Amino acid sequence: MPAIVLDCDPGHDDAFAIMLAAASPLIDLLAITTVAGNQTLPKTTLNARRVATAAGIHDVPIAAGAARPLHGELHIAPDIHGESGLDGPRFGEPTVPLADVGAVELLRQTLLTQPATVVAVGPLTNIAMLLRTHPECAGQIERIVLMGGSTERGNVTPYAEFNIYVDPLAADIVFSSGLPISMVGLNVSHQALAEQPILDRIAAIGTPLAEICLELLGFFGTAYRQVHGFAAPPVHDPITVAALIEPAILTYRRGRVDIELTGEYTRGATVVDFQSSTPNCDVGDILDVPAFWDLLIDAIEICSARALAK
Ligand code: RIB
Ligand code: CA
């Protein structure tokens, strides 16, 4: 059973990654850490606590991390995630507390206690800082599974995906680390569109948490339609967790991923070379979309039952 730490910037799709990781009996979710990205750090951190509260996740520590990228200014995404970073539902006050240590310290403590997989679904600032300030943790990281980048076009600039674009220097540190890496890029996540049949299956769960999920996907869907012209929103982040639960759910191609750091028009691009003699990444390729949705909808049901039992 993979033990994981989940670094995120909730964020609508991050919320589903949290729920899937917490719900699956095949995942041991050791810690949740937050990073600035979709919104500012105070908002992504509050949102992680809100999701944990709504989903009945009371046994996983949550710690706040970096409020800005390693270099340059923070770029947020209110056009996609709203002013709160989790627009759509009305959340009550979170009851899940914030850890009294920061994200890097929580990651350090957790990893030195036991080896784990790092699942990163936001800008990679926290992970880069961990590798730089606590190199002793690298040997405890079994794999880094990240949502970010793309083998094709970007979603912030023509060639840069948001998580990499926000902190390309951090991404370069991670992809240069020599650690085993799996990359779930937009070329994968754009296969996972929450279309009406999926919304109907979530509605049929009929719980308060399912209603929150529908409201999240409603806002997310409107934003993706208005900004990107998508008929339905791609639910990027939980694919990383699903690929750990059911490895056969995603195929990979071995390649070398380098991060463009200086291009005037291409900064933040993941340059993917499938012919390289020095590959450093398992690059996600084809998703078993029905199996992915089955896992996610089961997770919403499991979290719903836990939330109602609290
Ligand atoms: O480009 C999509 C990624 O950026 C997702 O992780 C989304 O939550 C944002 O963080
Ligand atoms: Ca995210």
Side-chain angles (χ1 to χ4, degrees):
M1 175 163 76
I4 74 167
V5 292
L6 177 62
D7 189 69
C8 54
D9 62 334
H12 292 67
D13 53 323
D14 305 71
F16 290 97
I18 292 170
M19 285 185 257
L20 181 55
S24 173
L26 299 179
I27 294 286
D28 185 5
L29 178 58
L30 301 175
I32 296 169
T33 52
T34 61
V35 64
N38 286 322
Q39 260 296 350
T40 61
L41 182 67
K43 293 181 179 179
T44 59
T45 304
L46 174 60
N47 291 336
R49 296 174 59 214
R50 282 171 163 167
V51 172
T53 301
I57 305 167
H58 295 274
D59 55 350
V60 180
I62 299 175
R68 55 179 306 148
L70 295 182
H71 177 75
E73 295 306 310
L74 175 62
H75 178 93
I76 58 176
D79 56 338
I80 301 294
H81 298 276
E83 275 314 301
S84 74
L86 213 52
D87 279 20
R90 291 177 59 80
F91 288 94
E93 271 309 298
T95 58
V96 172
L98 190 61
D100 55 11
V101 294
V104 169
E105 178 56 17
L106 180 61
L107 291 171
R108 185 190 74 84
Q109 292 175 11
T110 305
L111 288 167
L112 291 186
T113 303
Q114 68 173 90
T117 294
V118 171
V119 177
V121 296
L124 291 163
T125 316
N126 290 339
I127 311 309
M129 288 174 70
L130 174 73
L131 294 175
R132 276 284 165 88
T133 57
H134 296 291
E136 71 278 10
C137 291
Q140 296 289 97
I141 298 174
E142 292 170 330
R143 177 168 285 267
I144 297 175
V145 182
L146 62 92
M147 192 282 140
S150 175
T151 61
E152 292 148 23
R153 304 282 285 182
N155 60 0
V156 180
T157 65
Y159 289 100
E161 177 278 330
F162 181 82
N163 286 336
I164 310 300
Y165 178 81
V166 169
D167 199 340
L169 188 56
D172 186 48
I173 289 168
V174 169
F175 278 95
S176 306
S177 67
L179 289 169
I181 296 174
S182 302
M183 176 180 120
V184 176
L186 296 176
N187 55 294
V188 173
S189 63
H190 285 176
Q191 300 171 47
L193 303 178
E195 297 170 317
Q196 192 58 47
I198 302 302
L199 304 181
D200 294 343
R201 288 175 63 188
I202 295 172
I205 297 171
T207 61
L209 180 63
E211 185 57 30
I212 286 174
C213 291
L214 286 174
E215 291 166 345
L216 286 172
L217 290 170
F219 182 91
F220 200 41
T222 300
Y224 254 89
R225 189 164 49 251
Q226 291 175 347
V227 175
H228 294 293
F230 278 50
V235 185
H236 312 276
D237 292 342
I239 298 171
T240 56
V241 179
L244 286 169
I245 295 167
E246 274 183 34
I249 211 166
L250 182 61
T251 67
Y252 299 89
R253 298 174 65 190
R254 191 79 180 137
R256 179 168 187 83
V257 177
D258 289 296
I259 308 301
E260 177 56 65
L261 296 174
T262 59
E264 181 178 353
Y265 303 107
T266 55
R267 176 173 163 77
T270 44
V271 181
V272 184
D273 180 357
F274 290 116
Q275 278 68 49
S276 172
S277 60
T278 56
N280 62 352
C281 182
D282 294 307
V283 180
D285 190 18
I286 297 168
L287 178 67
D288 179 340
V289 176
F292 167 68
W293 288 121
D294 288 347
L295 278 179
L296 194 55
I297 289 162
D298 286 350
I300 296 170
E301 289 185 302
I302 291 166
C303 287
S304 290
R306 285 185 191 162
L308 290 170
K310 291 293 178 194

